[in-house]
Amino acid sequence: MQGCSPVHKQMQSETKDVREIQKFRPVFTVALYKATVDVMDNHLSGLLLIKKMPDSSTRMVFSNEMGLSFFDFEFTANGNFKVYSIIKKMNKRSVIKTLQHDFELVLMNKLDNATASVRSNDRLLYFIFPQDKGYNYYITDAGATELIRMERASHKKVIVEGIMKKYSNGIPDTIGISHKTFEFNIGLKRIERNAAE
């Protein structure tokens, strides 16, 4: 990597394999989450369905408890993004792009190992993946056994922080995304379909 983002200074190079971060990549087949989204002064709550489709794309449908769809997105296996529908209130290019980047951070589907690096600072490992604008950071403990947090950063500052916690069969129970530059927060808590799952 041609140097590191100045956001995280004084990091040491590490020899750890960048592919180790892949164990934290969610393995969604079908997962249903209770969801809250706060954008500026708008509060939306409902259910977010994440489903892996037969063509290996991932569909995300966010609807209220009555079934009204807020948005329906698709992330294809080759990295493309498609909007099937979105409510008028959210149908702004900046909102759509923000949601796309937030969910790409969670899905971990824009990670190019060839350009990535691993660095350490303060007993944490930083798995750093350059993006079109800035970097995606996946930050683990020193042994890479726990995903502490995720960050999307420009060259100057952290823009987004995210968490994925309590994995069960490759699916995180809790997902959180919070923006640092304006009010845009997403909270997801998995709903178990049955006790045996």
Side-chain angles (χ1 to χ4, degrees):
M1 188 169 139
Q2 312 80 346
C4 184
S5 163
V7 176
H8 295 292
K9 299 175 182 72
Q10 302 163 346
M11 288 209 257
Q12 314 299 316
S13 288
E14 288 288 333
T15 55
K16 193 163 278 289
D17 191 334
V18 294
R19 291 173 297 189
E20 277 211 45
I21 201 65
Q22 294 293 341
K23 64 186 165 198
F24 298 109
R25 186 182 198 161
V27 184
F28 292 114
T29 46
V30 177
L32 187 63
Y33 289 89
K34 178 108 178 85
T36 58
V37 176
D38 290 297
V39 187
M40 311 305 242
D41 292 326
N42 296 307
H43 175 79
L44 302 172
S45 66
L47 301 172
L48 179 72
L49 176 68
I50 304 175
K51 184 174 184 180
K52 186 76 139 201
M53 306 305 285
D55 65 357
S56 294
S57 65
T58 301
R59 266 314 256 282
M60 290 190 172
V61 180
F62 179 35
S63 58
N64 69 11
E65 285 84 351
M66 304 298 288
L68 170 74
S69 176
F70 295 126
F71 64 69
D72 181 352
F73 296 157
E74 178 184 72
F75 295 86
T76 64
N78 64 0
N80 290 330
F81 173 72
K82 181 175 181 180
V83 178
Y84 282 97
S85 66
I86 189 164
I87 59 169
K88 191 174 181 181
K89 190 187 287 189
M90 298 176 81
N91 194 5
K92 297 176 180 65
R93 183 173 158 73
S94 60
V95 172
I96 293 169
K97 272 281 179 212
T98 298
L99 286 166
Q100 176 187 351
H101 293 313
D102 288 352
F103 288 125
E104 283 172 348
L105 186 70
V106 167
L107 292 171
M108 300 175 75
N109 61 357
K110 286 261 180 157
L111 308 186
D112 182 357
N113 292 334
T115 60
S117 65
V118 183
R119 294 178 175 257
S120 65
N121 186 20
D122 198 23
R123 296 190 299 280
L124 295 174
L125 289 178
Y126 289 72
F127 292 79
I128 306 166
F129 294 87
Q131 302 296 303
D132 290 339
K133 293 179 180 176
Y135 303 85
N136 282 356
Y137 292 87
Y138 295 89
I139 302 160
T140 71
D141 61 341
T145 59
E146 181 189 358
L147 182 62
I148 307 293
R149 69 181 181 276
M150 307 172 290
E151 293 177 351
R152 195 167 77 244
S154 69
H155 294 280
K156 294 182 178 171
K157 62 186 174 186
V158 174
I159 298 167
V160 176
E161 259 188 28
I163 58 160
M164 290 193 285
K165 302 283 184 193
K166 297 182 188 166
Y167 284 72
S168 173
N169 297 322
I171 300 174
D173 173 74
T174 303
I175 300 172
I177 296 167
S178 63
H179 287 254
K180 302 300 172 192
T181 54
F182 67 110
E183 189 202 340
F184 198 145
N185 301 309
I186 300 170
L188 304 176
K189 180 76 175 162
R190 192 171 179 213
I191 298 170
E192 295 293 340
R193 285 184 299 176
N194 60 54
E197 193 176 47

